[in-house]
């Protein structure tokens, strides 16, 4: 999980949001548990592209896997909505 988290974060930082989301799906195929850092990294990658819909989808997923969102989670999701001009969501 740590390796995937690092790779997802690196993709987000290097303008490769789609690759970050592919890595997230790879975790499921490899039966690796996502943690809050995984989600934070992926939502942050979405934020950089103003991909508010993907960010909110990931935020909804967190509740389904019984993880607790934190300040970073919410701030990244809010920033994605703001950058996508969907701040009212």
């Amino acid at each position: 999980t740590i390796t995937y988290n690092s790779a997802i974060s690196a993709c987000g930082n290097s303008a490769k949001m789609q690759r970050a989301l592919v890595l997230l799906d790879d975790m499921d195929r490899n039966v690796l548990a996502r943690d809050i850092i995984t989600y934070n990294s992926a939502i942050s990658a979405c934020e950089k592209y103003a991909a508010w819909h993907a960010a909110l989808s990931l935020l909804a997923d967190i509740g389904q896997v019984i993880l607790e969102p934190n300040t970073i989670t919410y701030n990244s999701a809010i920033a994605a909505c703001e950058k996508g001009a969907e701040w009212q969501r």
Side-chain angles (χ1 to χ4, degrees), residues 5-19:
N5 289 349
S6 296
I8 290 168
S9 180
C11 287
N13 289 333
S14 64
K16 294 187 170 123
M17 183 198 77
Q18 289 299 327
R19 182 64 185 143

Side-chain angles (χ1 to χ4, degrees):
T1 300
I2 294 170
T3 303
Y4 272 91
N5 289 349
S6 296
I8 290 168
S9 180
C11 287
N13 289 333
S14 64
K16 294 187 170 123
M17 183 198 77
Q18 289 299 327
R19 182 64 185 143
L21 298 178
V22 168
L23 287 170
L24 200 62
D25 288 338
D26 284 350
M27 289 182 77
D28 291 338
R29 282 191 288 279
N30 291 313
V31 193
L32 293 170
R34 299 174 181 181
D35 59 18
I36 198 63
I37 296 169
T38 308
Y39 281 99
N40 288 349
S41 297
I43 293 171
S44 179
C46 293
E47 175 222 332
K48 289 176 177 72
Y49 283 89
W52 63 271
H53 192 270
L56 293 183
S57 178
L58 290 168
L59 184 61
D61 287 351
I62 292 171
Q64 295 175 1
V65 294
I66 312 172
L67 289 173
E68 189 69 33
N70 58 29
T71 304
I72 295 168
T73 313
Y74 289 121
N75 284 346
S76 293
I78 289 167
C81 290
E82 185 256 336
K83 287 182 180 177
E86 293 292 335
W87 55 270
Q88 297 131 331
R89 297 204 181 254

